[in-house]
Amino acid sequence: MIQNKEIDANAPTPLKAPAIKTEANDNKLASLVLDSQCKDSENLQLPQIFLCGNDYFEVVGWNNPDLGRIETNLERRTIHNLTMRLGKDQLAKLPYFDKMVNVPGHHKDYKRVFPSTNGNGCVNLYNPLDYELAEGTFETIMTLIRHIFGELWLLGLDYLTILYRYPRHILPVVCLVSKMQGTGKTTFLMFLSYLFGKNMQINNKAGLNSDFNSYARCLIVAFEELSSAKTFTDKIKELSTAKTTMLNEKHKDVVKIDAFLKIIICSNSEDDFIKANEEDIRYLILKIDPIEEYDPQFEEKIKAEIPAFAKFLSEREIAHKEESRMWFHPDLLKTAQREKVIANSRSDCAKDIQSWVNDYCSENETVYICATIKDIANDIQPTYKRSEIESALKNEFKLTPKDGRYTNYLRQGGNGRYYTLQRVEPDVEVINNAQQINIPNDSLLPF
């Protein structure tokens, strides 16, 4: 078990910006006051309209029917817009902030405004959560977590806890794959959007391919129906570990911000949607089965349970101790589906070599074969250059040749630099080390 991390008591206190002063335009500004149900300017620690850097912004609240609650947004405004509404004289009286920052935090750990050395303050791009913590149960949410993460549901619960409590910490790229429809992948993404609000963005392949990256300031971005992300492997690796990034939003200046992005990939290609190798510990790849029984009220139940579940995340003890850059021990991420993806990420030459080895071992009831590069080149089909075979054996099989006498695949004695290749069953199940953690799982839930 790990000790809960303490919140820094010396963290800067929020700076309360001055309110807008109006005289002749009181009647105009009165129409702009937010609904009484919405978090007002004082609670947000922002005036309703303000200038930050070179841009004007307005705090706008609206009743989001999808969320069933009031949602607040920072909307950019033009000088022309504000002049028409407030009058030119009022623009000079608007509160001013020095810059935008991107600092994650949830509920009691959240700050909308931070002090600056110039004394004007900095506005936080990270969005507040538009709900309060509450007592209650969350059986529906736990049903979803158990369905998505399967035997690794406790790891999934820790993943969500770390997202909520330690949002800056790097976490694995979660990949949810299935050829089937009705698996609950999209429902899980909607659950995350209810839990983390506008700090979670759902995108598609076009968003990953675009130069614009509004998602870079979020906590989570999910790419749906990504049949192949092989061409974006390097970009995904960079996004999932970057501590700073260049935020490039449409019609806005490119700015450097703090980054803490977590990536989720949903794909209907189970085995070959991305390139991965044995040394790559950043992916948690889960094959999702179809939901057996459809509940038309499932999402509504999830929405209702969010405040209680968030309170649970804020208080529970994390079961898996921090053991890597991605928090979890690499062995915990070695799922059967991950092994299939790694096998499919190999070159055609490596795949054909493994197929050749498997066929020989199956026919001769053995588990390994000894062969030189010449042996392989003479027998494998289709033919490959010896340099390709050597590269596959060294870089993909991670094998080192031995010098000396050996018995080859024809059961003939030979002498030379030979490799020992093992049979690999394509559908072998991987026993995940998460099952070996001796924790009374059900006792971790408050019901």
Side-chain angles (χ1 to χ4, degrees), residues 344-409:
N344 274 284
S345 297
R346 287 178 165 179
S347 66
D348 289 341
C349 179
K351 290 178 184 177
D352 288 333
I353 292 173
Q354 188 64 66
S355 179
W356 176 70
V357 172
N358 288 349
D359 289 345
Y360 172 85
C361 291
S362 179
E363 292 172 3
N364 293 274
E365 298 182 351
T366 185
V367 295
Y368 71 93
I369 180 176
C370 295
T372 64
I373 292 176
K374 181 180 179 181
D375 291 333
I376 298 171
N378 288 342
D379 201 67
I380 194 173
Q381 293 294 331
T383 58
Y384 291 95
K385 296 178 181 178
R386 293 192 180 188
S387 59
E388 292 178 288
I389 296 172
E390 182 177 16
S391 176
L393 294 172
K394 177 181 177 181
N395 299 320
E396 298 183 72
F397 286 88
K398 306 298 180 183
L399 295 178
T400 302
K402 294 181 179 179
D403 291 311
R405 296 193 59 80
Y406 71 100
T407 301
N408 68 13
Y409 65 99

Side-chain angles (χ1 to χ4, degrees), residues 172-177 185 263-267 273-274 282-288 337:
V173 176
V174 175
C175 305
L176 309 179
V177 301
K185 298 195 301 292
I263 297 177
I264 298 176
I265 295 174
C266 294
S267 178
F273 66 97
I274 202 166
R282 74 185 68 240
Y283 299 111
L284 173 62
I285 304 175
L286 303 169
K287 183 177 178 180
I288 314 300
Q337 197 60 40

Side-chain angles (χ1 to χ4, degrees), residues 53-112:
N54 298 321
D55 299 304
Y56 291 93
F57 294 89
E58 182 174 3
V59 180
V60 178
W62 69 295
N63 193 351
N64 187 330
D66 292 331
L67 295 177
R69 59 177 180 261
I70 296 293
E71 182 180 73
T72 57
N73 296 300
L74 285 183
E75 301 291 344
R76 186 182 293 266
R77 299 292 184 237
T78 64
I79 292 179
H80 177 72
N81 174 289
L82 295 179
T83 301
M84 293 292 291
R85 294 163 59 194
L86 308 179
K88 185 175 181 180
D89 293 341
Q90 296 301 320
L91 291 182
K93 299 179 182 179
L94 291 178
Y96 174 76
F97 296 88
D98 290 316
K99 64 175 293 186
M100 292 284 190
V101 295
N102 198 34
V103 182
H106 303 120
H107 292 113
K108 66 182 178 63
D109 297 330
Y110 179 79
K111 297 181 179 66
R112 182 53 122 172

